Amino acid sequence: MTTIDDNPTKVDVMTTPRPAAIRKPNKGKRIGIVGDVYRFLATGKDTDGKYATFEAIVPPGSGPPPHIHTREEESFLVLEGEMTFQLGDERIVAGEGTFLNMPVGSLHCFKNDSDKTARLLISLAPAGLEEMFFEVGTPLAGDAETAPPPSEAEIKKLLEVAPRYGVEIKVPHE
């Protein structure tokens, strides 16, 4: 059985070892997390835990603080707009079509320093970290393009939950 936009469709099991995940444009579970919108295209449940892929809609000024993943690699493809990435001490301004891969254990972050909303395709391997986003984020309507701004409660919850998922968030000191 194949899932297309979360509606079951029968498929010959001889050609498909497990259900395929197919998401049509603007379909897939959406959550708001610290001001960004994440639309999940494939989760660990879809890939036997091998990877997760999602689209991120990042408004101007938004993006996570520097952090380190201890379990997974994270890759980014800039689909629209421009994003500023940090990898260790290096700052990378990435335009449309730029691909970046952050190895396990690398200090990194991204921020939309432009005045236009950006879209990214993000993949995590192996999967699992998407469960943190589901735990912390706010479910959004299927066509949502914006998320509520980050609240103090959401940030506090993210800082509490992240270590359970092997993420070390580097909070800026003021």
Side-chain angles (χ1 to χ4, degrees):
M1 184 155 60
T2 296
T3 303
I4 298 178
D5 302 330
D6 303 320
N7 295 318
T9 303
K10 292 186 180 187
V11 171
D12 180 358
V13 288
M14 296 301 289
T15 60
T16 306
R18 71 174 179 282
I22 301 169
R23 304 280 182 262
K24 291 186 177 180
N26 297 315
K27 299 294 181 183
K29 182 176 182 175
R30 287 180 192 245
I31 62 155
I33 180 110
V34 293
D36 298 342
V37 174
Y38 289 175
R39 178 174 69 102
F40 289 85
L41 305 171
T43 65
K45 292 177 183 169
D46 300 316
T47 67
D48 289 334
K50 292 178 179 74
Y51 69 93
T53 300
F54 53 98
E55 172 191 43
I57 301 170
V58 185
S62 192
H67 59 280
I68 297 170
H69 298 269
T70 62
R71 300 177 185 167
E72 60 278 313
E73 301 233 345
E74 186 172 28
S75 67
F76 304 87
L77 176 62
V78 180
L79 299 174
E80 291 178 10
E82 183 178 276
M83 295 296 295
T84 302
F85 289 86
Q86 176 186 333
L87 177 55
D89 291 330
E90 187 176 359
R91 187 173 178 266
I92 304 152
V93 178
E96 292 177 16
T98 303
F99 174 82
L100 301 94
N101 187 73
M102 307 303 182
V104 173
S106 63
L107 176 67
H108 67 281
C109 67
F110 60 89
K111 185 174 182 183
N112 184 348
D113 286 328
S114 78
D115 61 354
K116 295 181 180 162
T117 297
R119 280 188 333 116
L120 308 170
L121 187 65
I122 301 175
S123 291
L124 300 161
L129 189 59
E130 72 275 17
E131 297 299 328
M132 179 183 79
F133 301 136
F134 298 151
E135 185 175 338
V136 174
T138 303
L140 300 173
D143 60 350
E145 294 284 323
T146 61
S151 68
E152 195 167 316
E154 181 183 31
I155 292 168
K156 182 178 177 186
K157 185 173 183 181
L158 178 62
L159 291 171
E160 289 173 2
V161 168
R164 285 193 286 127
Y165 291 90
V167 177
E168 182 183 344
I169 298 174
K170 301 292 188 177
V171 179
H173 299 290
E174 297 183 31

